[in-house]
Amino acid sequence: MADQKTTDFPAPAASDGAAQARRAMAWAHTARFLTTASRLDQLPATELPEIAFVGRSNAGKSTAINTLTQQKRLAFASKTPGRTQHINLFELGPRDAADALFADLPGYGYAAVSRGDKERWQKVMADYLEVRRSLTGVVLMVDSRLGFTDLDLQLLEFVAPRVANGSVKLLVLLTKADKLNRRDADRALKTCSDTLAAIGTEESDIGIALFSALNKRGVDDTAVLLRSWVAA
């Protein structure tokens, strides 16, 4: 993804930024369970913009969703990573006039499931990222201490064409950032940016940010960005 201009979130004016964050966090808090599906044809057809959350089973995806929505168990974290094999949809906005959907996709990368199940879910996720009509944005969770894995890069390849043509936005959240010192955090951001640049997409509307559910780093700004994706 050439000419990346993606670092940590820019800081808006203090008063404007605080008001935006309050509105965005209040919006995220409205998230409520809609449906679950094990196949694409079980997902409802919708015109609502959909934001998908993806990542390895141990990258902190469920925790990040629950932190953003300020709900402890909205996104279910299985006691056995890799066992949850459904796409879960959540509505956001007023109950009588929902304005967006969050899609929690199964975590990947653990050996807890059979090879056949892994291959089936790889196909389901690839198809979802490539053809889901209502998909507006993808939030990829990457453990900031580990960086991109081969499976993360494979997932990026699935969605790269839609990011390139501008139909889907991408945000990479480097999770568990509270475990990094300043030097390691800067290195993680640069490595992520360099990796994305190497993929070759010319689209520059790609976000990269450090995120911590523990100390809430990046939480407000992530909510503001996701809200802007569906309010544009």
Side-chain angles (χ1 to χ4, degrees):
M1 298 179 181
D3 301 324
Q4 291 293 317
K5 299 178 180 179
T6 49
T7 56
D8 219 339
F9 289 107
S15 59
D16 291 345
Q20 287 181 24
R22 285 194 299 271
R23 289 192 295 268
M25 290 298 289
W27 169 75
H29 186 54
T30 66
R32 55 206 177 264
F33 177 76
L34 176 63
T35 191
T36 187
S38 60
R39 304 193 314 265
L40 290 189
D41 60 11
Q42 295 174 339
L43 291 174
T46 178
E47 297 299 322
L48 294 177
E50 196 164 292
I51 296 173
F53 292 80
V54 297
R56 283 180 58 88
S57 297
N58 60 346
K61 178 169 59 67
S62 296
T63 300
I65 294 173
N66 291 338
T67 300
L68 281 167
T69 60
Q70 307 124 80
Q71 301 183 46
K72 291 184 178 180
R73 288 186 60 80
L74 181 70
F76 177 70
S78 173
K79 291 182 180 179
T80 305
R83 287 292 188 190
T84 304
Q85 297 187 8
H86 290 76
I87 297 173
N88 295 310
L89 292 186
F90 306 97
E91 276 188 334
L92 292 94
R95 288 189 175 274
D96 60 349
D99 57 19
L101 297 173
F102 281 173
D104 182 14
L105 272 62
Y108 51 85
Y110 259 82
V113 295
S114 69
R115 179 175 179 177
D117 284 341
K118 289 179 184 178
E119 291 176 349
R120 179 175 67 86
W121 266 106
Q122 183 182 46
K123 181 67 165 61
V124 170
M125 292 177 70
D127 289 345
Y128 173 91
L129 294 170
E130 290 174 347
V131 307
R132 179 67 171 166
R133 184 170 176 268
S134 54
L135 184 63
T136 297
V138 172
V139 182
L140 172 60
M141 312 285 185
V142 174
D143 189 322
S144 60
R145 301 165 299 175
L146 303 177
F148 288 112
T149 66
D150 288 343
L151 289 173
D152 295 323
L153 295 175
Q154 189 171 2
L155 184 142
L156 282 172
E157 290 179 3
F158 294 150
V159 77
R162 299 184 71 179
V163 174
N165 67 27
S167 63
V168 170
K169 296 178 175 60
L170 174 66
L171 171 64
V172 178
L173 285 187
L174 299 174
T175 62
K176 307 179 184 181
D178 54 279
K179 301 181 184 299
L180 302 181
N181 59 34
R182 179 62 181 270
R183 178 180 297 178
D184 288 340
D186 289 344
R187 183 182 298 116
L189 284 168
K190 184 178 187 305
T191 300
C192 180
S193 181
D194 290 346
T195 301
L196 291 172
I199 293 176
T201 297
E202 295 181 359
E203 173 60 44
S204 61
D205 188 16
I206 301 166
I208 304 170
L210 295 164
F211 186 95
S212 170
L214 183 63
N215 64 21
K216 303 300 187 289
R217 179 172 187 174
V219 174
D220 285 358
D221 290 320
T222 297
V224 169
L225 181 61
L226 300 189
R227 184 74 181 103
S228 75
W229 285 0
V230 304

